[in-house]
Amino acid sequence: MKNINILVYLLGIMLFAGACDLTFEPIDEIDNDKAFTNIDDLNSGLAGIMSQYGGHAIIANSDRASDDLRFSNSNRGQGVAVHDWTYNAASSDISGVWYGSAHIIDAANRLIAEAEKFNPEEEVVKRVVAECKFLRALSSFESVRFYCSNYEPESLGVPYVFVSEIVQPSRLSQKQSYEYILKDIDDAIPSLNQYSDDNPIQNSPGGNYWITKSAAYALKARVALYMRDWNMAINAAESAIGEGGFRLANIGEYANVWDDYVEKDVEVMFRLKRENYKMGDFYTSSANGDIYFHPSFGLMDIYDEDDVRKQAFFGTNENGKDIVVKHDGRPGDLPNVVDLKMFRVSEMILIKAEAYVELDKLDNAKTEITTLRQNRITDPADVDMSTKTLAMKVLQEERRRELAYEGHRFYDLRRWNLPVERLPEDSETKPSYLPAGDYHFVFPIPQDEMFANDNMVQNDGYSN
């Protein structure tokens, strides 16, 4: 890899995951020793990394393995192994997260190494390094929640790689993995901007398309949620919202969130630009209208009729069949192409609410949930959160409603030690029940990684 033109490598990796998402001026091919000769080269290298960040496999596999989708008769095999819980280490559907994360981490590590050529006190250098550390932390965490069990300090985590070199890393403990993730986030925050409207990359979008302090705090809140560090989760979620002055989208604005048409301080805290990646194709083909998965009745039935989310997430095709429309595309643009919303205000509110429930601060939890519901439902009913059991049930249902098809449900059920229970009408020809604690709640390390890395340990339940 040392003989590869590094700059061309960083700019060219956008071809992975089918995403060509950030626009900037191309740079001619140059020799390695001249690849990064000025700070603008660092910015362009960062744009190359950002443009090839995927993130879609986390969403697709969570949806397919959970109780939020119903198999369609027009499905030709898309995601069936995950939906049926028959995947193994050789299943192609579950390898993308591992290799996509490793690819981002390697690219980030390369750019951090290149940044060492410049004055470390330069603001641009500090910011680029900080953004690379954020991407390393984000990619590592995605691997943790995909390939690791619920947080236990001594349970198996993932390797944490700091340099770009050919190695056979061993799995760390979860405690070590999470500590490195949090350290990268905390190291990054001081050098991150809040908004990047004046980003020096020509023709690049600004606002919440770039890594900000709010994005870093939002990632920290999500990490803390999985660690069950409730105070950290609350503090980080509040900082994520407060740093950018973000607010929830109201009822009239909510549909525009999914059409990529809201102000930068409304709802979406960090997004990834998408110009041609058809995320909606996970559910319904943009080419011929074939439905691969319908929304489940179990999910659709938990919304009130005056809940704006019901109209934003679900629809019917010309044949009257239920379809997922949450990611069906921007009006007047390519079908099924929308930006990937990485962090939203509502997730931060739900993180705070869950943490308050766990801390027995039920009034605080109810305040958060009520605020969310008032911005989603025209005439919301009062919710009973008078006991911890009732409060947790309300929280779990509201989190399912709000974050459907955003890559959380399957991992949430695992976090809560709950089974996947599909209604009979959602599983006529498919498995309907995955017991809590079943080994399929943790995806297997890809077989190719097991073959290539003698130090890798497979997850329980899957053969080596």
Side-chain angles (χ1 to χ4, degrees), residues 59 155 230 283-284 286 399 401 421 449:
I59 296 173
S155 295
W230 308 121
Y283 316 97
T284 303
S286 59
R399 187 172 168 93
R401 289 187 190 97
E421 295 183 271
E449 178 69 18

Side-chain angles (χ1 to χ4, degrees), residues 287-331:
N288 57 19
D290 281 355
I291 303 171
Y292 303 141
F293 290 97
H294 302 279
S296 70
F297 293 112
L299 175 62
M300 290 190 293
D301 290 347
I302 66 173
Y303 294 86
D304 294 338
E305 286 304 316
D306 61 344
D307 192 324
V308 68
R309 294 171 293 194
K310 188 167 188 175
Q311 289 74 46
F313 297 173
F314 314 116
T316 55
N317 66 5
E318 62 275 12
N319 298 316
K321 302 292 186 180
D322 296 320
I323 56 174
V324 176
V325 300
K326 188 171 187 175
H327 308 297
D328 66 348
R330 297 178 280 260

Side-chain angles (χ1 to χ4, degrees), residues 74-115:
S74 57
N75 186 303
R76 299 187 299 275
Q78 293 86 353
V80 171
V82 175
H83 189 67
D84 291 354
W85 310 309
T86 58
Y87 39 83
N88 55 45
S91 298
S92 59
D93 283 339
I94 52 84
S95 62
V97 173
W98 186 269
Y99 295 117
S101 295
H103 197 69
I104 291 291
I105 291 167
D106 183 73
N109 286 337
R110 286 174 174 274
L111 192 54
I112 290 172
E114 290 300 317

